[in-house]
């Protein structure tokens, strides 16, 4: 296994001019880096238009074609772009939308706090399977980062008499299964 040497860039909070990311890849190559973890989704938004889910993207988000160009540029520099799609916590880019508000789990407030998408709703699983598939097809990396950090569903589980750790493990294992079904090696944060 090759030694990974790279950095993570969070473009979900602030999308720089697209040219910035191309220059960043040039610098990374000069510094001998070989991996860019592209944290493109978070509570604040989604910086990549995933095919079939374009409505979740921020204004000025990378289109699928622009994302492919960025990946192509990275490849010429010997850099693997690993996408990070938030699939459990940090999912207000989804649940703040009217059509998905019923899937929000966490403190109901304007301020961004730890939250989750409803791990028991069949609609969540359909949505995540689709998003994971779209990300897997857009990004050629053998890896797909699923996030899964900073999840808050304590009250949700207590109100239902559920074991929070068991619900978390079951949901995360299903996300891992969806990534593996797309022939990706899943990564998650180790909170």
């Amino acid at each position: 296994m090759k030694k990974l040497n790279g950095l993570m860039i969070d473009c979900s909070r602030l999308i720089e001019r697209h040219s910035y990311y191309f220059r960043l890849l040039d610098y990374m190559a000069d510094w001998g880096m070989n991996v860019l973890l592209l944290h493109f989704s978070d509570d604040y938004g989604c910086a990549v238009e995933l095919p079939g889910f374009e409505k979740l993207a921020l204004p000025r988000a990378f289109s699928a074609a622009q994302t492919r160009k960025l990946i192509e540029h990275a490849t010429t520099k010997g850099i693997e772009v690993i996408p990070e799609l938030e699939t459990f916590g940090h999912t207000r880019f989804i649940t703040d939308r009217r059509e998905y508000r019923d899937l929000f789990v966490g403190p109901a407030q304007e301020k961004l706090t730890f939250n989750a998408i409803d791990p028991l709703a069949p609609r969540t699983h359909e949505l995540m399977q689709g998003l994971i598939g779209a990300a897997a097809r857009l990004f050629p990396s053998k890896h797909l980062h699923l996030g899964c950090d900073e999840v808050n569903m304590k009250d949700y589980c207590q109100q239902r008499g559920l074991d929070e750790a068991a619900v978390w493990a079951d949901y995360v294992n299903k996300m891992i299964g969806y990534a593996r079904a797309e022939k990706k090696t899943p990564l998650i944060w180790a909170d």
Side-chain angles (χ1 to χ4, degrees):
M1 182 175 157
K2 72 178 179 180
K3 183 177 179 181
L4 302 180
N5 178 22
L7 56 86
M8 179 185 97
I9 187 102
D10 182 345
C11 54
S12 66
R13 287 170 172 79
L14 170 67
I15 301 176
E16 302 284 349
R17 291 177 191 223
H18 291 187
S19 60
Y20 165 84
Y21 301 97
F22 287 85
R23 287 193 324 272
L24 176 66
L25 290 165
D26 294 339
Y27 286 123
M28 288 176 67
D30 290 345
W31 298 329
M33 295 182 175
N34 61 5
V35 172
L36 172 65
L37 177 61
L38 188 65
H39 180 82
F40 71 85
S41 64
D42 206 305
D43 289 322
Y44 304 90
C46 185
V48 172
E49 292 180 353
L50 293 173
F53 299 94
E54 293 85 357
K55 65 184 176 183
L56 295 177
L58 290 165
R60 296 184 32 230
F62 280 84
S63 68
Q66 291 167 326
T67 302
R68 286 185 194 97
K69 285 182 183 177
L70 183 71
I71 294 166
E72 183 179 305
H73 184 71
T75 301
T76 67
K77 301 290 180 179
I79 298 170
E80 176 185 3
V81 178
I82 299 174
E84 182 184 347
L85 171 67
E86 293 291 352
T87 61
F88 201 0
H90 297 287
T91 48
R92 285 188 58 181
F93 75 99
I94 297 168
T95 60
D96 278 355
R97 299 188 57 81
R98 182 180 312 120
E99 62 269 35
Y100 297 116
R101 282 198 184 120
D102 61 306
L103 299 177
F104 178 77
V105 173
Q109 56 191 15
E110 287 296 315
K111 181 182 175 193
L112 290 176
T113 58
F114 292 172
N115 61 76
I117 195 162
D118 189 335
L120 301 178
R123 204 166 135 219
T124 296
H125 292 268
E126 291 170 22
L127 176 62
M128 286 304 165
Q129 195 169 16
L131 285 167
I132 289 168
R137 288 184 292 279
L138 181 58
F139 290 87
S141 171
K142 66 180 180 179
H143 299 97
L144 177 58
H145 203 299
L146 303 170
C148 297
D149 64 321
E150 300 176 343
V151 173
N152 181 353
M153 58 175 184
K154 183 179 181 179
D155 292 342
Y156 173 89
C157 288
Q158 282 180 345
Q159 291 166 1
R160 290 161 179 76
L162 301 171
D163 178 334
E164 184 179 2
V167 172
W168 188 93
D170 183 60
Y171 181 81
V172 170
N173 282 324
K174 286 180 179 164
M175 296 304 108
I176 288 169
Y178 298 150
R180 286 186 174 150
E182 296 290 341
K183 308 291 188 243
K184 298 295 182 177
T185 300
L187 306 172
I188 63 170
W189 293 115
D191 282 14

